[in-house]
Amino acid sequence: MTAPPTVSTEDVCCPGADCDLLPRGQAEDLALVFKALADPTRVRLLQYLAESQSGTACACHLPTALQISQPTLSFHMHKLHEAGLVDRDKRGRWVHWTVRRAPLEQVRGFLALSERVGAAPADGCC
């Protein structure tokens, strides 16, 4: 009689997550936000706007504050607006920018999953 095959720990496959996957549309929205925030100038712009005293900032002040040109500002603000991170309000010849909190809350909620990442599995699997 032959002995049963031995199973090494390398051959053990742990089960995947028992949860619902993020819906594709929501994942695409989050990816757009992460793409917008993947640029240091846009991160700095978002921080500047979020920390402004009135909660808004005029485009006339942003190039000097960040030491960028007006066309560069327009490009980056377009990306932030496209990702839904900022609102614009045209007042005369200038645009005033305001941070939209809701998309940032969605990102914060998604990133909370990192609290579970790296936790040791209860059954010692993998």
Side-chain angles (χ1 to χ4, degrees), residues 23-64:
R24 179 176 288 284
Q26 191 175 351
E28 289 170 351
D29 291 345
L30 280 168
L32 185 62
V33 170
F34 287 128
K35 284 179 188 178
L37 293 175
D39 183 278
T41 299
R42 291 193 283 271
V43 171
R44 292 178 72 216
L45 278 165
L46 196 63
Q47 180 198 16
Y48 184 89
L49 293 173
E51 293 183 7
S52 64
Q53 284 184 336
S54 62
T56 188
C58 179
C60 63
H61 298 293
L62 296 172
T64 303

Side-chain angles (χ1 to χ4, degrees), residues 79-99:
K79 294 292 185 183
L80 290 172
H81 187 260
E82 186 177 62
L85 293 169
V86 295
D87 280 328
R88 61 181 170 214
D89 179 31
K90 189 157 172 73
R91 300 178 192 171
R93 64 182 278 218
W94 294 108
V95 173
H96 289 251
W97 296 97
T98 307
V99 174

Side-chain angles (χ1 to χ4, degrees), residues 113-122 125-126:
L113 70 85
S114 66
E115 295 170 4
R116 297 183 298 273
V117 173
C125 186
C126 299

